[in-house]
Amino acid sequence: MEAKILDQEITAEQNPANIQIANTRSNRKYDIIIIGASGYTGRHVTMEMGRISQTYNLTWAVAGRNIKKLQNILNELYKKLDGYEDKKIDIIYADLYDFETVMKMAQTTSVVINCTTPYYIFGEVVVKSCVLTSTHYVDVTGEPLFMEKMAYKYDKQAEENNSIIVNGVDMESVPADLGVEFLYQHFNGELKHVDMYKKVYLSEIIFTYSNFYIKIQFNILPGMIHHSIWTSFLLHLATKKRRLYYRNLLDELMGITRIEPTVSKLFHRQQLSMLSDDKKWCLACPEPDQAVVTRSIHHAKTKERLPYNFNARGYRVLTGLIPGILALLLFLFLSILAIIQPIRFLLVQSCLK
């Protein structure tokens, strides 16, 4: 599916005339609806929702286009968890190509969790439906272009309709965002620059921080290179100009003037460099953490009436120099190929096979 519409975006510029928009979340049937529950991410979210909904007594449902796949996911849930013998979860039909069905779905719940990836292709219909119906929205995107485009297009309307839009609640952005927020609150002085380092371990999530940088370690998840993630990555490489376009528009809308802080040469690392403290090689990888973190710090500094002289850079810690060189060359090679539409199509197809 992603390969067929790789260069399309599903948008809805007009509201269907026959839909009465509900601008209140009171008396809605569900607390939460998961749209895209039959996908890779949606399946994991559904299983976790089945567990926590029993603890917090939440009413929830799943939504999507393929009813059979959704039913299979729920059948798996019923087998794994106790307490669903006499309680069945509702399935709601919502087709991302049919704006009316998505709007009707959004009107029945207080919160929509969107698991339909790639978000750049499929996400806007869900965001707009939530904004128009005063429904809160959460996703797990790691696509900076999608996040900043949605913020630019719908921030004002979402505020007017009391709809909260939360992007990037995933393992890419949350550890970095929380880590930098913690550092901002506890840093002895004005925080102007943060380097963020991530390394994949077969261990639990660990946060350590010092005055100058944050290290984040997390589990590598099975199936991390899923075809939808691969498609999102290729789209990210192919849309650099559009990312800069919407980032500049959003900066202007929010009144952000990016000021490069004066910092020690310690922070001006090359694309591939060595950490001085533990002699490990690291590769610069700014997105999506940089986009998320810088806007969070801008919000915090705006509240405290401080100038926005802040910068953040992200890195991946590697096992050695040779893997770093290979990763850098592969990234540059894919960056060139992803710009060419026919080759990008073939790359997506290769992962789907």
Side-chain angles (χ1 to χ4, degrees), residues 309-321:
N309 53 344
F310 175 80
N311 190 27
R313 299 184 68 183
Y315 299 89
R316 297 295 187 270
V317 180
L318 307 168
T319 56
L321 176 59

Side-chain angles (χ1 to χ4, degrees), residues 47-316:
M47 295 301 162
E48 185 65 14
M49 180 60 65
R51 185 184 65 82
I52 67 172
S53 64
Q54 294 176 321
T55 303
Y56 296 99
N57 194 28
L58 299 173
T59 58
W60 64 287
V62 295
R65 183 174 59 175
N66 193 319
I67 302 299
K68 184 178 179 180
K69 285 185 177 181
L70 292 172
Q71 187 61 62
N72 290 338
I73 294 295
L74 291 180
N75 290 340
E76 183 181 351
L77 172 73
Y78 300 150
K79 291 179 181 179
K80 287 186 175 182
L81 296 177
D82 296 329
Y84 285 95
E85 295 82 2
D86 300 319
K87 178 183 177 182
K88 301 302 179 183
I89 304 302
D90 291 342
I91 298 176
I92 300 171
Y93 178 79
D95 186 349
L96 296 176
Y97 293 97
D98 186 347
F99 185 50
E100 182 175 344
T101 64
V102 182
M103 284 279 290
K104 288 181 177 179
M105 177 272 299
Q107 285 183 296
T108 64
T109 184
S110 297
V111 179
V112 169
I113 299 178
N114 184 12
C115 299
T116 56
T117 58
Y119 289 94
Y120 178 71
I121 297 173
F122 297 110
E124 183 172 352
V125 172
V126 186
V127 171
K128 185 167 186 176
S129 296
C130 289
V131 170
L132 291 177
T133 58
S134 298
T135 304
H136 299 320
Y137 169 97
V138 179
D139 67 34
V140 293
T141 183
E143 303 171 33
L145 171 58
F146 172 74
M147 289 187 276
E148 294 176 337
K149 181 180 178 181
M150 294 303 98
Y152 173 71
K153 292 185 68 172
Y154 298 109
D155 178 71
K156 183 178 180 180
Q157 192 173 10
E159 185 176 1
E160 292 173 350
N161 290 353
N162 194 28
S163 175
I164 300 174
I165 309 300
V166 183
N167 300 118
V169 187
D170 63 337
M171 75 170 193
E172 278 292 327
S173 303
V174 170
D177 202 25
L178 291 178
V180 174
E181 175 65 22
F182 179 83
L183 183 57
Y184 179 77
Q185 296 295 334
H186 294 82
F187 188 73
N188 186 21
E190 184 182 357
L191 187 65
K192 294 183 178 181
H193 185 100
V194 173
D195 276 356
M196 302 172 290
Y197 299 89
K198 287 185 179 179
K199 183 174 183 179
V200 177
Y201 283 99
L202 295 177
S203 62
E204 296 180 355
I205 296 176
I206 302 172
F207 286 93
T208 62
Y209 81 97
S210 71
N211 287 344
F212 297 105
Y213 60 84
I214 295 173
K215 293 182 179 178
I216 303 171
Q217 305 172 0
F218 54 88
N219 282 326
I220 185 168
L221 301 177
M224 183 179 291
I225 310 301
H226 188 261
H227 70 83
S228 60
I229 298 175
W230 174 243
T231 305
S232 296
F233 175 67
L234 293 174
L235 285 171
H236 175 77
L237 296 179
T239 54
K240 181 178 180 180
K241 290 183 178 179
R242 272 176 277 186
R243 290 203 312 273
L244 294 176
Y245 173 73
Y246 279 106
R247 181 163 298 175
N248 291 334
L249 287 176
L250 185 58
D251 283 354
E252 183 179 352
L253 179 68
M254 297 179 66
I256 295 178
T257 302
R258 294 180 181 266
I259 304 173
E260 289 292 335
T262 303
V263 296
S264 166
K265 291 183 179 180
L266 169 69
F267 297 114
H268 294 290
R269 299 189 183 280
Q270 302 300 317
Q271 192 74 19
L272 182 64
S273 58
M274 178 181 283
L275 287 170
S276 58
D277 56 342
D278 53 9
K279 306 301 180 183
K280 295 289 182 67
W281 287 91
C282 60
L283 182 67
C285 188
E287 305 288 7
D289 299 344
Q290 182 172 306
V292 173
V293 167
T294 52
R295 297 204 178 278
S296 294
I297 296 300
H298 170 263
H299 177 71
K301 290 200 170 192
T302 299
K303 288 175 61 178
E304 298 178 17
R305 300 181 183 276
L306 295 174
Y308 182 67
N309 53 344
F310 175 80
N311 190 27
R313 299 184 68 183
Y315 299 89
R316 297 295 187 270

